[in-house]
Amino acid sequence: MFCYQCQETAGCSGCTVKGVCGKTPEVARIQDLLVYANKGISEVTTRLRAEGKTISKEVNHMITLNLFTTITNANFDFDVFVDRVIRTLDVKKDLIAQLDDKSGLSEVALWDERDTSKFDEKARQVGVLATEDEDIRSLRELTIYGLKGLSAYSKHANMLDYDSEEVDAFLQEALYKTTLDLSVDELISLVLATGEAGVKGMALLDSANTGTFGNPEITEVNLGVRNNPAILISGHDLSDLKELLEQTKGTGVDVYTHSEMLPANYYPEFKKYDNLVGNYGNAWWLQKEEFESFNGPILMTTNCIVPPKDSYKDRIYTTGSAGYPGCKHIPGEAGSTKDFSEIIEHAKKCAAPTQLEEGTLVGGFAHNQVLSLADKIVEAVNTGAIKKFVVMAGCDGRQKGRNYYTDFAKALPKDAVIMTAGCAKYKYNKLNLGDINGIPRVLDAGQCNDSYSLAVIAMKLQEVFGLEDINDLPLVFNIAWYEQKAVIVLLSLLFLGVKNIHLGPTLPAFLSPNVAKVLVENFGIAGIGTVEDDIELFFGEG
Ligand code: FSO
Ligand code: SF4
């Protein structure tokens, strides 16, 4: 196996024996094969579109979900990938039959092996290292990881019945283009175009979420527990939460959010449910301890899954892109209703959660809410009460080096405000950093995809302050990344013209030295240093 798609990759270079995430070599290879099959079908759909034909939503959704299942910590179930490869080949065959001109299809598009015993051998030939030139490989993989992130966000929008043919067509064409013999310059353009599609994909999901559940608003989220049996829901899929809350209504079973599901508490629609008690626990990587003490069943709607301990494995359920061998998967596509009754019955037999924390956490600072406070914010900036905003969005993770972000938040000057989104927030959202004239010093916009909100806020502030360039705002970026959704967020920010982003705790292993140089020279991308040096760099007088 060879995988270097996430920040925790072994030795900062690549997992070759087993994934640090827990992925086995067999699963790593079958994931590579699914990506390969997805490239093949994407070549065919791109050709069909060029012939003026329409691609069905079902096909678009299948391609999107294929990519999403290969994201770090989403799905560890070998059989799921075998099934998805076969299904993709079946659908691809039908699509090829619809082409008027079948000439010149590539080997990737024509691959049609049905003997699953030959899958592993094929997978060994088509993985990341099949591209020998390290710069071409780096740019192809940077594109593919961006597309994986885009697929996740697109899938969430699809579940709420929001689709964008433009985003789907781009995703498929770009995936196909990673199989072509493109030059470095052409691939750099493809990377930037992926960022543009990322903005569109996140805008689509923002419309889907706010159109369905209302605009997030300032909310105090309860961190304590009640004395009822309960279900913990994790991951990012808000449509799953909606269905779970509907189905648990009046059953005596409570629901708590976990990790990236925390921001659901900020939406008006979810406040209507009095059995949504609050948030339990912290970021994804602490789940071994926290799932143990939750006592009830846990529904993983997306990544990040940590391979579960036997002591609570029978309480883990997955749905959507998520999967783990031996854990029950709840099926359901866009447009269908999922049946969570088994989880609800399971919960009734379990003890109430053991309390971990008490008190509340304040969040809900997505674009609509922040822009309604714009006057107050502008005044605070004009009077010098707020000197700088620091965007600290992204991901949390288990590496010790990530304590940098807690220390950095603590060391910030008292006139700096953190704007955050994603699970990165758990490194500092319980530090009680106080407020400036009533504006909290940690403004949580929501999930990682709500980084879009941060961009909208920045663009609005640029307009209000009458600035030519977004980089003239009193705004710095110190972003933590972990998996591929953070890649699409980064590419989207680059597309929007944001410069000098600091990225940590380490730079991606999939950036070759030459590609890293391009990012440094053109966008001022940099890593992180010590807290002391970085505070001086961001806030020093010069
Ligand atoms: Fe975190 Fe995991 Fe949301 Fe990621 S829970 S690490 S970037 O899946 O998607 O922020
Ligand atoms: Fe390694 Fe990350 Fe790939 Fe898992 S996803 S195998 S930890 S690089």
Side-chain angles (χ1 to χ4, degrees), residues 114-316:
R114 298 314 170 100
D115 180 352
T116 54
S117 70
K118 302 221 172 102
F119 276 12
D120 196 60
E121 188 192 330
K122 181 70 180 174
R124 288 170 193 270
Q125 296 157 15
V126 300
V128 173
L129 298 177
T131 303
E132 282 171 16
D133 182 288
E134 71 165 352
D135 297 329
I136 301 288
R137 184 196 306 145
S138 175
L139 290 164
R140 283 180 173 172
E141 295 305 317
L142 178 56
T143 305
I144 292 170
Y145 303 151
L147 296 175
K148 286 189 181 193
L150 178 58
S151 74
Y153 298 149
S154 196
K155 159 78 168 47
H156 294 313
N158 297 160
M159 291 304 285
L160 296 170
D161 209 19
Y162 282 63
D163 283 84
S164 163
E165 164 62 17
E166 192 188 357
V167 169
D168 285 318
F170 176 85
L171 186 143
Q172 292 159 31
E173 187 179 355
L175 194 56
Y176 157 53
K177 282 185 169 169
T178 64
T179 66
L180 301 178
D181 208 1
L182 299 185
S183 67
V184 164
D185 284 347
E186 286 168 324
L187 281 167
I188 290 173
S189 301
L190 187 61
V191 167
L192 293 180
T194 304
E196 181 176 11
V199 175
K200 289 178 183 151
M202 284 196 276
L204 176 74
L205 179 54
D206 184 73
S207 308
N209 285 341
T210 57
T212 312
F213 306 118
N215 273 299
E217 52 198 20
I218 302 178
T219 306
E220 274 194 37
V221 181
N222 172 38
L223 300 177
V225 300
R226 296 200 302 209
N227 198 22
N228 296 324
I231 298 167
L232 188 61
I233 178 167
S234 190
H236 305 69
D237 198 306
L238 299 181
S239 71
D240 287 333
L241 174 64
K242 171 74 184 167
E243 287 193 43
L244 183 66
L245 287 170
E246 269 305 307
Q247 292 177 34
T248 46
K249 230 168 37 181
T251 61
V253 172
D254 284 340
V255 174
Y256 294 77
T257 57
H258 170 259
S259 191
E260 274 285 71
M261 202 56 88
L262 156 69
N265 291 281
Y266 312 153
Y267 287 88
E269 179 65 23
F270 295 123
K271 293 183 182 174
K272 294 181 188 157
Y273 294 91
D274 56 15
N275 66 329
L276 176 61
V277 179
N279 191 67
Y280 188 84
N282 292 280
W284 65 272
W285 60 278
L286 282 160
Q287 63 191 248
K288 277 194 177 154
E289 296 74 32
E290 296 176 349
F291 286 4
E292 188 92 64
S293 63
F294 184 74
N295 302 331
I298 297 126
L299 175 62
M300 299 298 307
T301 66
T302 65
N303 54 338
C304 284
I305 300 175
V306 175
K309 284 161 69 175
D310 287 343
S311 55
Y312 64 80
K313 190 173 170 190
D314 66 323
R315 289 194 273 119
I316 302 277

Side-chain angles (χ1 to χ4, degrees), residues 71-91:
I71 277 188
T72 301
N73 291 340
N75 203 311
F76 295 81
D77 195 336
F78 180 83
D79 295 343
V80 165
F81 292 101
V82 174
D83 285 352
R84 295 201 73 86
V85 171
I86 292 170
R87 204 155 96 211
T88 305
L89 295 181
D90 286 345
V91 174

Side-chain angles (χ1 to χ4, degrees), residues 1 3-6 8-10 15 18-23 72:
M1 71 173 281
C3 181
Y4 65 173
Q5 66 176 356
C6 83
E8 288 188 353
T9 193
C15 295
K18 191 183 181 205
V20 172
C21 58
K23 188 159 83 177
T72 301

Side-chain angles (χ1 to χ4, degrees), residues 403-424:
N403 290 338
Y404 162 92
Y405 295 101
T406 307
D407 298 339
F408 182 84
K410 282 184 189 162
L412 282 174
K414 299 286 171 272
D415 50 17
V417 170
I418 295 174
M419 288 162 71
T420 191
C423 60

Side-chain angles (χ1 to χ4, degrees), residues 43-44 47-48 50-51 53 95-105 110:
E43 176 175 335
V44 180
R47 283 272 287 265
L48 282 166
E51 288 184 357
K53 309 218 167 62
L95 292 174
I96 289 176
Q98 292 171 31
L99 276 172
D100 295 331
D101 176 9
K102 300 180 181 54
S103 65
L105 282 172
L110 294 172

